[in-house]
Amino acid sequence: MYSDKVLQDIAAIATDYRLKVASTVGKILALAEAYRSLGKQFTFEADADLDAETNRILMALSDEILADAEVRMRRAIEEANDEEDADEIVAFVLFDITAQNTLDKYASHLKFILEGWATIGFANGLSKGSIATNLLVFLANPYISPLWKKAFEDGRSYASKIIREGGYYWDKGTPISPLRGFVLTSSDMVNRAYNRGVVYGYRRAGAIGYRVLRGSDYDCPSCDDVVAGSPYPIDDVVLPVHPNCVCYAVPVFEKDIT
Ligand SMILES: [Zn+2]
């Protein structure tokens, strides 16, 4: 079966990152507060120091998440009983999903949202705490934020610009919040590291291949296809099939097929 311990570790990522993002948002809004008088004209670029410090805080968040994902990957590889391959696996996963770039992209996206909320908040006379709360609710679900939606519907150029540049559209597309992006990216890294650890561990134990079995029974044709394609050669890691996939591998030894 897929390791319960790894699943629990992945499940904890959402809560941990919500706190990390909330702390980052608090720090940046505290800095932006000094520029409240700009109202709807507010932008981080209004002051070069503010902009640089905001970027620094956001990149620190991105680095912190990357470091956290690496700790969790190593824990998952240990759970797969394959510590010997940990360095190789971690390096592979970081490279394979261009983790640093992906996390930096979400951090930049968070900056757009921060700028948008500071602008809306200052224009509407919201306190810094209220701006933070609105922003965090918005990250959980962009569509339920009445203030943001109203600013957009009123055609207020300051908000619509940020919404578009931030990647949010009311009429099409699926919005992905930076928080969700951070969580999904790390979860995927841990899942990939774990599966690679399991398969490499089987190889160390002398397996020549492995079969894939479903770890859950929700409807997923992609996973069914991968299960049906078993067995796989030991050097070909086909798991996870998709993010949050809990399909798992069982080893095949020479004696099993002769
Ligand atoms: Zn699956």
Side-chain angles (χ1 to χ4, degrees):
M1 286 298 290
Y2 198 103
S3 157
D4 269 343
K5 239 170 117 178
V6 174
L7 281 184
Q8 282 167 17
D9 207 25
I10 290 175
I13 289 175
T15 315
D16 289 359
Y17 288 12
R18 202 175 304 127
L19 294 173
K20 286 187 203 300
V21 167
S23 154
T24 298
V25 163
K27 279 182 215 162
I28 294 173
L29 287 178
L31 294 175
E33 185 68 20
Y35 301 86
R36 170 179 287 272
S37 61
L38 292 176
K40 67 180 185 185
Q41 306 297 336
F42 173 82
T43 63
F44 287 112
E45 287 181 353
D47 183 279
D49 289 342
L50 171 67
D51 197 47
E53 184 60 6
T54 299
N55 289 341
R56 195 196 60 75
I57 294 171
L58 286 168
M59 288 308 118
L61 171 67
S62 170
D63 289 347
E64 191 185 335
I65 286 175
L66 191 65
D68 174 85
E70 183 168 340
V71 169
R72 288 181 204 270
M73 280 196 281
R74 289 186 183 276
R75 232 168 13 226
I77 295 164
E78 198 181 324
E79 177 67 10
N81 290 314
D82 186 38
E83 293 94 324
E84 297 93 332
D85 294 312
D87 290 342
E88 183 195 331
I89 292 172
V90 167
F92 174 85
V93 173
L94 291 178
F95 173 80
D96 196 41
I97 69 159
T98 58
Q100 179 87 64
N101 284 350
T102 304
L103 295 173
D104 286 351
K105 191 187 73 189
Y106 288 125
S108 303
H109 192 168
L110 180 57
K111 187 182 179 188
F112 278 115
I113 292 170
L114 272 157
E115 189 164 82
W117 271 107
T119 308
I120 289 176
F122 296 158
N124 286 280
L126 302 187
S127 71
K128 150 179 97 182
S130 170
I131 296 172
T133 304
N134 270 286
L135 192 156
L136 294 170
V137 169
F138 176 83
L139 286 184
N141 187 346
Y143 289 114
I144 62 168
S145 173
L147 265 181
W148 187 280
K149 195 159 184 289
K150 185 170 177 301
F152 184 75
E153 284 170 354
D154 290 353
R156 297 190 187 174
S157 57
Y158 62 90
S160 61
K161 169 178 166 283
I162 292 156
I163 290 167
R164 294 196 178 282
E165 289 180 0
Y168 289 99
Y169 299 91
W170 297 108
D171 50 347
K172 60 174 175 165
T174 307
I176 176 164
S177 89
L179 171 57
R180 182 117 186 88
F182 287 139
V183 171
L184 286 178
T185 304
S186 280
S187 304
D188 195 35
M189 280 193 263
V190 177
N191 195 356
R192 284 167 186 259
Y194 171 66
N195 277 293
R196 204 154 274 269
V198 168
V199 172
Y200 287 9
Y202 291 162
R203 184 173 59 191
R204 284 184 182 278
I208 56 166
Y210 63 95
R211 290 180 182 284
V212 172
L213 297 175
R214 290 290 307 262
S216 68
D217 53 10
Y218 67 90
D219 191 38
C220 182
S222 311
C223 292
D224 288 342
D225 283 350
V226 171
V227 168
S230 295
Y232 295 93
I234 201 68
D235 291 318
D236 182 16
V237 181
V238 299
L239 292 176
V241 179
H242 54 78
N244 297 326
C245 173
V246 291
C247 292
Y248 60 99
V250 292
V252 175
F253 294 92
E254 188 97 47
K255 64 177 169 51
D256 297 330
I257 54 167
T258 50

